[in-house]
């Protein structure tokens, strides 16, 4: 049994967060792909409360919830590529925005793309508000973490990569260069950053999955 | 202007979490009571995203979201009464349960007490499941944090104090000694612990507030 194992799902932004963090830290790990329609006994044993990926197992001890795992990785492999800043106030700020993205943005963006037409307008309004907030937070920094990828960037991977694919699959356009030039530029920097690029799922496969989910043929 | 200010609400378990943490650390602070029906310009300035209490202001810099504030307090005043354990795995475990209580339990318990009768049964079933989970987590420890109050205890203040009052106001009974002897004992230890007792809102005032909210006269 490898010292570090990750139970994940290839298309999940939450699993991907943990992969990015492990790669940033240079941690070797065994990746175990889960089948959510037939969850493994080990996943259910390791995460009996939520029964969800990702689960990180380190020295046979499981940790669930991606935000909790990211903090654990940063504290355990603390010699290179800090995920959280050193200063307590900056750490609090990073945690605040990570929580905001996790609890508010992703849900609003998802709803703005997938919900029924009558609900979509209200969801799009809310999503736009959140994107504007992040545009203002980013200011003229390269990444939310400054010059380097940090907690907020990792947690925002849904916006940096998944959102563009869902937009393409559904025809909904939210993150445009015209409306959010800084966030748009960030998303380009994000997917082209080597630590990220190597750990994202294949774009075509994810697009096909999203299109199939949306009920549109991939040959459309 | 005091070096540490807390914008709170007397009856809020979320404000109370921050007060408990500040008292545990021996931090002097100025408490500013907010009126949620007429929020102060300072609250809106300090927490423009959520417009909610609690907000901690330290050296003129604001921090919102009670879980984020608790971590900040622990990192900033780190010389006494640790709120999180030292070991990264134990820290991850504490964060996992704090998140579980915050995102799952409180909502389920609240719903089980306040929702319409037809929804109440399902909500009560879910709430019972969560209480059983916490009963199992507690095992034979005095507090979730071991011998001392820690992050999970502070976040569980809703269960330790508010729940009993809401039960009394609504007539719903969830946390019974028979079903959850460990958690029940914990709630007694919790409210009688000096660091907690001194920082809880007045029981009678909160009960009157909850009864009024439930539409039952306090003279009933």
């Amino acid at each position: 049994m490898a010292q570090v194992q990750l139970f994940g799902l290839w298309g999940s932004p939450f699993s991907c967060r943990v992969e990015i963090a492990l790669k940033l830290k240079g941690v070797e790990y065994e990746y175990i792909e889960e089948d959510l329609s037939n969850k493994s006994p080990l996943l259910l044993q390791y995460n009996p409360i939520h029964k969800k990926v990702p689960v990180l197992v380190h020295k046979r001890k499981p940790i669930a919830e991606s935000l909790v795992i990211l903090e654990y990785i940063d504290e355990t492999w603390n010699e290179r590529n800090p995920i959280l800043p050193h200063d307590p106030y900056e750490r609090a700020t990073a945690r605040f925005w990570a929580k905001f993205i996790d609890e508010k943005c992703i849900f609003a963006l998802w709803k703005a793309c997938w919900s029924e037409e009558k609900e979509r307008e209200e969801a799009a309004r809310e999503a736009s508000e959140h994107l504007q907030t992040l545009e203002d937070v980013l200011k003229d920094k390269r990444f939310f973490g400054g010059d380097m990828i940090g907690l907020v960037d990792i947690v925002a991977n849904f916006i940096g990569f998944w959102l563009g694919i869902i937009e393409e699959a559904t025809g909904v356009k939210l993150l445009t260069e015209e409306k959010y030039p800084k966030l748009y530029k960030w998303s380009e920097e994000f997917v082209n950053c080597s630590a990220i690029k190597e750990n994202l799922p294949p774009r075509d496969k994810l697009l096909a999955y999203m299109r199939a989910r949306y009920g549109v043929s991939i040959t459309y």
Side-chain angles (χ1 to χ4, degrees), chain A:
Chain A
M1 183 181 177
Q3 210 192 32
V4 180
Q5 292 181 308
L6 172 62
F7 290 75
L9 199 68
W10 71 272
S12 157
F14 305 100
S15 291
C16 179
R17 290 175 179 175
V18 179
E19 290 204 79
I20 292 169
L22 290 170
K23 289 284 171 71
L24 276 172
K25 294 288 188 178
V27 177
E28 295 284 327
Y29 64 97
E30 178 191 356
Y31 177 80
I32 297 144
E33 176 74 10
E34 275 293 327
D35 173 2
L36 286 196
S37 62
N38 182 24
K39 294 175 185 176
S40 74
L42 269 180
L43 178 70
L44 301 177
Q45 176 193 322
Y46 285 144
N47 190 5
I49 301 298
H50 304 298
K51 304 177 179 67
K52 286 194 304 191
V53 296
V55 173
L56 185 79
V57 183
H58 183 210
K59 296 181 182 171
R60 297 179 181 268
K61 291 195 284 191
I63 306 143
E65 298 281 65
S66 67
L67 290 186
V68 175
I69 298 172
L70 293 179
E71 297 246 13
Y72 177 80
I73 289 173
D74 202 36
E75 289 175 357
T76 302
W77 294 279
N78 56 8
E79 283 174 15
R80 63 184 259 194
N81 291 340
I83 292 170
L84 278 114
H86 179 72
D87 172 73
Y89 188 75
E90 288 177 28
R91 292 166 74 84
T93 306
R95 287 183 180 123
F96 176 88
W97 291 118
K99 202 168 151 62
F100 170 73
I101 291 168
D102 218 38
E103 293 173 9
K104 299 272 179 189
C105 288
I106 294 180
F107 183 67
L109 290 165
W110 191 259
K111 227 174 137 188
C113 289
W114 293 112
S115 57
E116 296 294 318
E117 208 164 327
K118 59 182 178 184
E119 286 176 28
R120 205 177 276 181
E121 200 174 326
E122 170 60 19
R125 196 199 49 72
E126 196 189 328
S128 300
E129 212 172 90
H130 294 335
L131 291 177
Q132 187 59 51
T133 297
L134 293 178
E135 172 86 0
D136 298 340
V137 169
L138 196 56
K139 293 198 185 90
D140 291 312
K141 289 181 293 188
R142 185 174 171 211
F143 296 115
F144 288 98
D147 291 331
M148 301 286 285
I149 292 282
L151 180 73
V152 183
D153 300 280
I154 297 174
V155 172
N157 67 350
F158 180 83
I159 301 167
F161 182 67
W162 271 258
L163 180 58
I165 294 170
I166 297 171
E167 286 177 341
E168 200 173 326
T170 59
V172 175
K173 199 73 198 137
L174 296 165
L175 179 54
T176 61
E177 193 171 3
E178 295 68 36
K179 280 182 86 175
Y180 314 105
K182 290 167 186 172
L183 200 56
Y184 189 86
K185 191 167 167 236
W186 166 84
S187 74
E188 289 190 328
E189 289 265 8
F190 181 79
V191 293
N192 285 309
C193 172
S194 64
I196 305 298
K197 194 157 56 177
E198 293 159 17
N199 294 295
L200 293 172
R203 199 182 191 286
D204 290 349
K205 187 179 170 187
L206 196 58
L207 180 60
Y209 172 82
M210 293 295 178
R211 278 183 166 151
R213 187 178 167 144
Y214 195 60
V216 177
S217 159
I218 49 171
T219 56
Y220 170 78

